[in-house]
Amino acid sequence: HILVSPHTCFLLFVFLLVMSLLPLCNVTGVGELPVPRGLTLSPDFPAQTLSLTWQSDSSLFDLEIFHTELMNVVLNETVAVKADPVTGLHSWTWHSPLPLECTSHSARIRARNQQSVSQWNPLQTIPGSDIPEKSESFMFPQDKVVPVGSNMTFCCIVKEKDDFIEMMYGRQEMSATRLSRRTYAITVTNQPASGNTGTNVICCSQRLTLTGAVVFVGYPPGDEGLVCETRDLASAECSWKKGRDTRFRMKRSRTKYTLNGRDCLEANERRTWWCSSKVWEESWTLVARNPLGTVQLTDSAQLTDRVHLLAPVNVTAVEVEAWSATLQWSWSVAAYKKLEMVCQLQLFAHELSSTRNYSGPGLSSVVLESLWPDVDYTMTLRCGSKHSFWKWGNESAPYRIHTKMDRPDALDVWIWMDSSNTGRVFWKPLSVRKSHGALAGYEVSQSSAEEDGRTPVSLPPGNFSYPIILNNSSDITVAVAARNPAGLSQPSTVTTPAYRADSQLSVSELLGTNGSFVLSWQPNVNASSGYAVEWVPTGCSGLCPVDWKKVPESDCSFTVNSDSLVAGVRYTVSVYSLSTGAPTLLQRWQGYSQEMIPSQSVSKLSPSQTGSDVLLSWKATAMEHQRGFIRGYTVYLANAAHLDLIANISDPEVQSYRVKGLSPSFYKFVVKAYTSAGEDAGSTVDIKIEMDTADMLFVGILVPLGIMFCCLILISICCYKKREWVKKAFYPEIPGPKVPGDWSSPQGPLDVKPSPHSLVHIVENPERDFTKEGLFPVPEEEEESENDNIEVDTDSDEPALLRYYNHVVGDGSHSNQVSDSSGSSTASVGSTQTEITYAGIQSPTSSQGACGGGGYRPQMQSVAGPAEPQIEFEADFQDDGLNTGYKPQCSWQLDSPEAENFSGSLGSPTSVTSSQFLIPESSEEQPQPSNTWFHNFLSGKS
C-alpha cells in the first residue's frame, strides 16, 4: 500500500482535468478561425470563367485551383473578398486561360487573418469533357472570334484508345502540353489575321485527324465619314468610308449596320457601304457592330445643301454646222425642271480638249460655238445645283458629233533665193484645225509688174515648195492657195527678195544658247508688216530645208527653238523686214546651235623636207563635217605611247606649220582641228628625215680633207718634236772628206792600204756599161815608176797594194775627170788614213738595177775623228760561187753640205772605210741639190 497525502491528490486531479480538456480547446478554442462554409463552383464555359461563392466571417482568403486528374496547381492566390451585405455571401470569379471543358477543375478555400489561418474546406470539382463518361474526341474552343495579336489556348481531348501525335495551327506544327490522361493543349501567341474562312486548328493521330476547330482572328469595325445627300430632292442616301478590312466574311461575324435604328440591308448584303432613307430627316446616326467592337457615326444637313443630281439622259445634237452645233438632253426626275442649276460640257477632239459651263433653271439644251470644221468631237455633260453647290452630278454617257468642212485657212508662204535669178517658194503644211477638211492640193501662180498674170499651177497635197525663175529685172509676186472639197483658201502672196549671197554681206558669228538661237536686231521703220526670221543649213544646194517664222513689228527679238535645229549643223540665220514690197534683208548670222567635235579630220596632210626642217601642210575639213567653228589646229609628235604637243595654231586660216631642227630619224606627226567642243580624231603623216644630197656631198668632201689635214698637222708636229730622231733614223749625215795640205800638185798614184777586215772580190767577167764611168786597175810597173818615193811595207802581212785611178770610160772629157778624181783621192786619203786593196769592182748589171739587194751598205751612224771605223760588207753569192762586186748606193745626191765647194766627182758616195771616191756617171749631168724643204725641216734649217 502506498500512502498519498491530500495535497498530492489535488495536484493529480488538476493535471488529469487539463489533459482531458486540451483536445476540445484545439477545435473551438479561443482565437481559432472558422473554415469557410458552403463553397460552390459556377462555370461559364463560353466566357471561360469559374465563379466561387461561400460563407464566412472573414474577408481574407487563400484560394487554390487544380486540374483535378493530375492535381496540377493552376492558381494559388490570396484575395480579399467582402461579403454581400444582402445575402452575406462572398463571390469571386476566375478567368481560365483555357476552356473549362478541356479538363476537370477543383477548388478549395480557407480563411486568413494576420495571426492565423483556418483549415481548408473540402475540395469542390466541376467535371470536364475528358471524364470517362465522354469517350469521344473534342477540340475546344470552337468558332472563337478574337482580335489580331491576342493569345489563345486550344485543347484536344483524345478518344479512348487513340494515340495522340500532334496539333497544327494552320500549317504550323505546335508543341503540345499534356493536361490529363486524354487532354493535350497548345498556346498560340500574337495571332495574325485569319483568312476569309478563318484559321483551322486540328488534332492528329497516327493515321487520321481526330478532331479540329476554327478560329476567326480579325479587327473591330473602323468605319468613318458618314455623309448624307439627296438625289431626287426628297429622299436621303447616306454613305461612309469603310475603315480597314475586319477580315470577317462569315455572316455571323461580319459587321452589321443600322441607320437611325433601322437595319441597313444594302450595306449588310450588297456591301456598298451606303444606306438610304425615304424621307430626309436632316440628322442621322449610323452604328457599325461586329463581335469585336462597335462604332457610331453621325451627320446632319439641310436638303438644299446636299443636292447631288443624276446624269442627263437622251443627249442629242439637233443641228451641226462647220463652226457650231446645238445639243439637247432630258432629266429622269421631274423636280429638276424647276431647279436652278449649272452644267459643265467637256469637249475632246484630236490634239485638243476644252471645258464649257452653262447655267439656267432646269437646263436641257445648249449651243456649242467656236468649233473647228471637219473635226470629230466627243462630249460629256454633268450638272449641279447652282444654289449652295454641293458637288457635280453624274456624267452622261459620251456623245460624238462631226462638224462640216469649210475652206482652208491662208497658208504661211516664204521665198528663198538661191541665186540671182532662181529661187523657191515654200509654204508650211496646214494642221487639222486649219485645213478644215482633207486637202486636195495647192494652186501656185506668179505675176510681175510687166505681166497681167499667169495660169495657176496645181500641185498635189504632198508638195510644199515650187521653183521660181526670174526672167527680167522686175520683182515677181507669187500667190499660193490651199484647196479642199469646200473650196480654195485665201491666197497668200510673197514678193521675191533681192538675192544676197553670204560673200556679199557681212555675216556675224552666232553662238547657240542651250541648243537654241537667241536673236535681236535694231527696229526698222519700213517693217510695216513685221519681220521674218529665216534659217537654213549653210552651203546646202538643191531642195534645202528652209524654215522661217514671221514676227510682229512690235518685236525685235526672236528665239529659234532647239526642236527645229540639229546639233553640229551650221545654219545661216537671216532677218528680213516685211512691207508691201519685197522683203529686205536686215542682218545675217552663221552659227551652230550646239557645237560638236569635227566628224572628219583635216585632209591632204603632207610633209615636205627642207634641210633639217619639215613643212606640214593640210586642207581644212569640209563645212558639213566641221560641226562647229574651227578655232585652230594642234600639231603633235607621235611617240610610242602618247602624243607630244608641238604647236597650237589659234588662227584657223593658217594651214601649215614648219617643224625646225630635226635630226635624221623617222618621225610621225598628227594634226588635229578643234572647235569649242574639242579636237577631232586627227590626221597622221610620217616622214624619214635624211641628209640633204648637196650637204652630203659637201660633208663628204670636207670631212676627209679635214681629217687628212689634221693628220698631217699631227704628223708634222710629231716629226718636228722628234726631228733629231727622225734625222738619225732615216737620213743620217755622211761625214765629208777633209783634205789637208796642198792638192795642187799633178795627179799621182794613190796607194791605199786595205783594212785587214776588207775584202774586195774580183769578178772575172763583169758586165760593163761603157757609157758609165768606172775604176781601172793601174799596172804595178807604172805605179812604181810614178811613185818611187813611196815606201812599201814589205814586212806586213797585208795583200799587195792595188793602185787605181778614177777613169772615165766613154766620150767625156778625160782631163776633167782626172782632175776630179785626184782631188777626191787626196781628200779621201786625208780623211781616213786607210788603204784599200780592190781585187776587182763589178758594175751593177741591168738585171740587178741601180740598188741591188746585196753588196755594200753604208753605216747608219756618222764617224767622227780619225778612229778606224767598223766596216761592214755583205757578200752575195751567185750560182757560180763567185763573190759579187761593190754595190753603190741608190742616190748619188750630195748629203754633206760641206761638199758644195768640191767638184762634181766629190758628190759620189763612198765607203766610210774607203779612201777612194766613186765617180758619177757623167760629167755633163749636174747632181740634184739635196737641200730640200723636208731636209731643211729635219735638220732644223730654214
Side-chain angles (χ1 to χ4, degrees):
H1 294 275
I2 301 175
L3 296 178
V4 180
S5 64
H7 180 70
T8 303
C9 293
F10 177 76
L11 293 176
L12 180 62
F13 174 77
V14 172
F15 174 76
L16 293 174
L17 181 61
V18 171
M19 292 299 293
S20 61
L21 293 177
L22 184 59
L24 183 61
C25 292
N26 289 336
V27 177
T28 60
V30 177
E32 182 177 346
L33 294 177
V35 177
R37 305 176 301 276
L39 176 63
T40 60
L41 304 179
S42 300
D44 185 353
F45 291 102
Q48 295 182 193
T49 59
L50 183 63
S51 298
L52 287 76
T53 59
W54 66 92
Q55 291 182 347
S56 177
D57 295 333
S58 300
S59 60
L60 189 63
F61 303 93
D62 291 337
L63 294 175
E64 286 187 346
I65 299 177
F66 305 89
H67 288 160
T68 305
E69 186 171 341
L70 300 180
M71 289 303 292
N72 293 328
V73 179
V74 294
L75 178 67
N76 185 355
E77 188 175 349
T78 298
V79 296
V81 180
K82 293 182 179 181
D84 186 272
V86 178
T87 61
L89 297 177
H90 295 269
S91 298
W92 186 78
T93 301
W94 172 64
H95 184 272
S96 175
L98 76 160
L100 298 176
E101 298 95 336
C102 292
T103 187
S104 300
H105 289 76
S106 297
R108 64 180 182 176
I109 190 172
R110 68 180 179 183
R112 171 183 287 275
N113 60 22
Q114 295 180 352
Q115 292 81 20
S116 60
V117 294
S118 70
Q119 296 291 324
W120 292 101
N121 73 320
L123 284 173
Q124 299 295 318
T125 302
I126 57 170
S129 297
D130 59 346
I131 58 177
E133 290 79 4
K134 296 182 180 181
S135 59
E136 299 296 326
S137 296
F138 301 99
M139 173 75 77
F140 296 101
Q142 288 285 330
D143 299 334
K144 189 82 169 181
V145 179
V146 295
V148 174
S150 61
N151 302 332
M152 192 172 181
T153 300
F154 298 88
C155 67
C156 172
I157 302 175
V158 182
K159 183 180 180 181
E160 292 286 350
K161 300 180 181 180
D162 281 347
D163 295 332
F164 172 80
I165 297 298
E166 63 181 357
M167 292 182 69
M168 302 286 293
Y169 182 87
R171 297 182 179 181
Q172 182 180 3
E173 181 180 350
M174 305 297 294
S175 177
T177 302
R178 192 168 188 174
L179 302 181
S180 67
R181 183 176 58 86
R182 294 172 53 195
T183 303
Y184 300 86
I186 60 172
T187 299
V188 182
T189 60
N190 194 21
Q191 294 181 90
S194 59
N196 293 336
T197 57
T199 302
N200 295 323
V201 185
I202 60 176
C203 181
C204 302
S205 67
Q206 185 71 27
R207 297 179 302 274
L208 48 81
T209 299
L210 299 176
T211 184
V214 178
V215 61
F216 298 95
V217 185
Y219 300 96
D223 301 83
E224 60 183 1
L226 176 66
V227 175
C228 296
E229 60 187 16
T230 181
R231 306 302 301 271
D232 57 3
L233 302 179
S235 62
E237 290 184 357
C238 298
S239 60
W240 60 91
K241 294 179 182 179
K242 185 178 180 181
R244 61 184 175 186
D245 188 3
T246 62
R247 308 303 291 269
F248 297 140
R249 299 291 183 271
M250 305 301 292
K251 183 176 180 180
R252 65 185 185 89
S253 60
R254 69 171 177 249
T255 306
K256 296 179 175 58
Y257 298 94
T258 58
L259 181 64
N260 287 355
R262 298 184 296 273
D263 291 338
C264 293
L265 300 180
E266 301 93 339
N268 293 340
E269 295 180 0
R270 293 184 289 179
R271 306 176 189 176
T272 55
W273 302 288
W274 67 277
C275 192
S276 62
S277 175
K278 294 183 179 180
V279 179
W280 185 266
E281 300 181 41
E282 298 186 356
S283 179
W284 299 270
T285 300
L286 179 74
V287 177
R289 181 183 293 107
N290 74 0
L292 298 181
T294 300
V295 173
Q296 180 174 315
L297 306 175
T298 60
D299 185 33
S300 61
Q302 295 292 328
L303 174 67
T304 55
D305 296 340
R306 297 290 180 86
V307 178
H308 184 196
L309 298 180
L310 298 174
V313 296
N314 301 325
V315 179
T316 307
V318 295
E319 186 178 357
V320 178
E321 301 293 338
W323 299 93
S324 63
T326 301
L327 196 66
Q328 290 183 350
W329 64 90
S330 60
W331 297 103
S332 59
V333 178
Y336 290 177
K337 295 181 180 179
K338 297 181 180 180
L339 180 66
E340 191 72 23
M341 63 178 64
V342 57
C343 294
Q344 187 178 77
L345 185 69
Q346 291 183 329
L347 292 174
F348 302 94
H350 180 66
E351 298 180 352
L352 60 90
S353 63
S354 63
T355 300
R356 304 181 183 186
N357 294 329
Y358 305 89
S359 61
L363 198 61
S364 59
S365 65
V366 294
V367 176
L368 305 179
E369 297 180 345
S370 301
L371 301 181
W372 292 97
D374 194 35
V375 175
D376 276 324
Y377 286 99
T378 300
M379 57 191 68
T380 58
L381 183 67
R382 60 182 182 177
C383 299
S385 174
K386 186 176 182 180
H387 176 70
S388 300
F389 181 82
W390 164 243
K391 64 172 62 173
W392 288 111
N394 298 111
E395 282 188 347
S396 65
Y399 184 75
R400 298 181 62 183
I401 63 173
H402 185 85
T403 56
K404 296 179 180 181
M405 292 186 183
D406 197 4
R407 296 192 307 168
D409 287 349
L411 295 170
D412 186 0
V413 181
W414 181 249
I415 283 185
W416 179 67
M417 302 300 295
D418 56 1
S419 68
S420 59
N421 61 348
T422 60
R424 182 173 288 270
V425 59
F426 292 89
W427 57 89
K428 294 185 177 180
L430 295 175
S431 63
V432 175
R433 293 178 56 181
K434 295 183 177 181
S435 61
H436 305 161
L439 294 179
Y442 301 96
E443 290 189 1
V444 180
S445 61
Q446 63 184 46
S447 61
S448 63
E450 301 175 355
E451 300 178 357
D452 295 338
R454 279 192 175 186
T455 303
V457 177
S458 297
L459 300 176
N463 282 25
F464 303 105
S465 66
Y466 186 74
I468 299 298
I469 299 177
L470 305 181
N471 295 327
N472 47 47
S473 59
S474 61
D475 293 337
I476 292 180
T477 300
V478 181
V480 184
R483 183 179 65 254
N484 68 4
L488 277 173
S489 66
Q490 290 292 330
S492 299
T493 60
V494 61
T495 304
T496 56
Y499 173 71
R500 295 290 186 272
D502 294 344
S503 59
Q504 299 175 354
L505 183 70
S506 176
V507 179
S508 303
E509 184 177 300
L510 181 62
L511 298 178
T513 303
N514 297 326
S516 303
F517 289 137
V518 179
L519 309 175
S520 62
W521 57 89
Q522 294 296 326
N524 187 274
V525 295
N526 296 325
S528 58
S529 301
Y531 303 93
V533 180
E534 170 197 271
W535 59 95
V536 61
T538 305
C540 75
S541 59
L543 187 58
C544 296
V546 180
D547 204 352
W548 69 95
K549 183 68 176 180
K550 293 180 179 178
V551 181
E553 59 179 334
S554 59
D555 294 339
C556 292
S557 63
F558 180 72
T559 300
V560 182
N561 295 324
S562 59
D563 54 0
S564 62
L565 301 173
V566 179
V569 175
R570 182 183 295 188
Y571 286 90
T572 298
V573 183
S574 307
V575 175
Y576 294 85
S577 65
L578 303 180
S579 60
T580 55
T584 303
L585 179 63
L586 299 180
Q587 195 168 349
R588 179 165 286 178
W589 301 269
Q590 283 188 2
Y592 296 86
S593 61
Q594 180 181 352
E595 293 196 19
M596 304 172 69
I597 62 174
S599 59
Q600 290 186 3
S601 306
V602 297
S603 60
K604 298 183 180 180
L605 176 62
S606 62
S608 61
Q609 178 185 352
T610 304
S612 61
D613 299 345
V614 173
L615 178 63
L616 301 175
S617 59
W618 58 88
K619 295 295 184 182
T621 306
M623 183 183 297
E624 60 270 17
H625 301 301
Q626 291 181 3
R627 306 204 298 178
F629 289 111
I630 301 298
R631 304 299 181 182
Y633 304 92
T634 52
V635 183
Y636 297 91
L637 176 61
N639 290 326
H642 62 281
L643 299 178
D644 294 331
L645 179 63
I646 298 177
N648 184 358
I649 304 172
S650 59
D651 185 1
E653 300 298 327
V654 177
Q655 297 177 4
S656 63
Y657 182 74
R658 182 178 297 276
V659 185
K660 299 180 179 180
L662 297 176
S663 58
S665 182
F666 183 83
Y667 295 92
K668 181 182 289 186
F669 298 98
V670 179
V671 177
K672 297 182 178 182
Y674 62 88
T675 65
S676 60
E679 297 177 334
D680 60 22
S683 293
T684 304
V685 68
D686 49 46
I687 184 174
K688 183 177 182 182
I689 303 299
E690 296 179 348
M691 186 67 70
D692 188 68
T693 305
D695 295 341
M696 290 181 65
L697 182 60
F698 184 72
V699 171
I701 293 173
L702 288 184
V703 168
L705 288 177
I707 294 174
M708 185 176 67
F709 182 72
C710 293
C711 291
L712 289 175
I713 292 176
L714 292 176
I715 292 173
S716 300
I717 294 173
C718 181
C719 292
Y720 179 76
K721 290 184 177 181
K722 301 293 183 178
R723 59 187 178 275
E724 295 296 334
W725 177 85
V726 173
K727 179 179 179 181
K728 292 177 182 181
F730 296 98
Y731 204 80
E733 290 189 6
I734 299 174
K738 296 182 179 179
V739 184
D742 186 12
W743 285 73
S744 60
S745 60
Q747 179 178 354
L750 176 62
D751 296 334
V752 180
K753 183 178 180 180
S755 173
H757 303 288
S758 299
L759 294 178
V760 179
H761 300 278
I762 300 173
V763 180
E764 295 294 339
N765 297 314
E767 297 180 2
R768 301 293 303 274
D769 186 355
F770 297 100
T771 62
K772 303 291 183 178
E773 298 177 357
L775 297 178
F776 297 91
V778 180
E780 286 185 341
E781 294 80 8
E782 297 178 2
E783 291 180 303
E784 288 177 359
S785 62
E786 294 176 359
N787 301 304
D788 291 338
N789 60 343
I790 299 177
E791 290 185 12
V792 177
D793 189 1
T794 60
D795 296 331
S796 178
D797 296 332
E798 294 177 1
L801 292 174
L802 295 178
R803 294 176 176 87
Y804 281 82
Y805 288 93
N806 290 332
H807 180 71
V808 179
V809 180
D811 300 329
S813 172
H814 299 285
S815 62
N816 291 339
Q817 295 297 336
V818 172
S819 174
D820 292 344
S821 185
S822 54
S824 295
S825 297
T826 304
S828 179
V829 172
S831 64
T832 64
Q833 304 294 330
T834 304
E835 293 180 353
I836 299 175
T837 302
Y838 288 87
I841 297 175
Q842 180 182 356
S843 299
T845 60
S846 60
S847 61
Q848 293 173 341
C851 300
Y856 167 76
R857 296 288 187 271
Q859 286 188 349
M860 301 306 291
Q861 297 181 2
S862 62
V863 179
E868 181 179 343
Q870 299 294 329
I871 308 302
E872 180 179 347
F873 287 89
E874 295 182 7
D876 280 347
F877 297 93
Q878 305 297 331
D879 293 341
D880 55 357
L882 298 177
N883 292 330
T884 59
Y886 167 74
K887 302 297 183 181
Q889 292 189 79
C890 294
S891 175
W892 292 92
Q893 301 288 337
L894 180 61
D895 294 331
S896 177
E898 292 83 353
E900 295 176 1
N901 299 325
F902 295 99
S903 58
S905 62
L906 295 180
S908 302
T910 181
S911 172
V912 295
T913 61
S914 174
S915 60
Q916 178 65 43
F917 291 100
L918 299 181
I919 307 302
E921 294 179 358
S922 174
S923 61
E924 286 90 22
E925 296 178 1
Q926 298 296 329
Q928 296 293 331
S930 60
N931 296 332
T932 62
W933 70 272
F934 186 68
H935 177 270
N936 296 335
F937 173 77
L938 295 178
S939 62
K941 298 178 181 180
S942 57

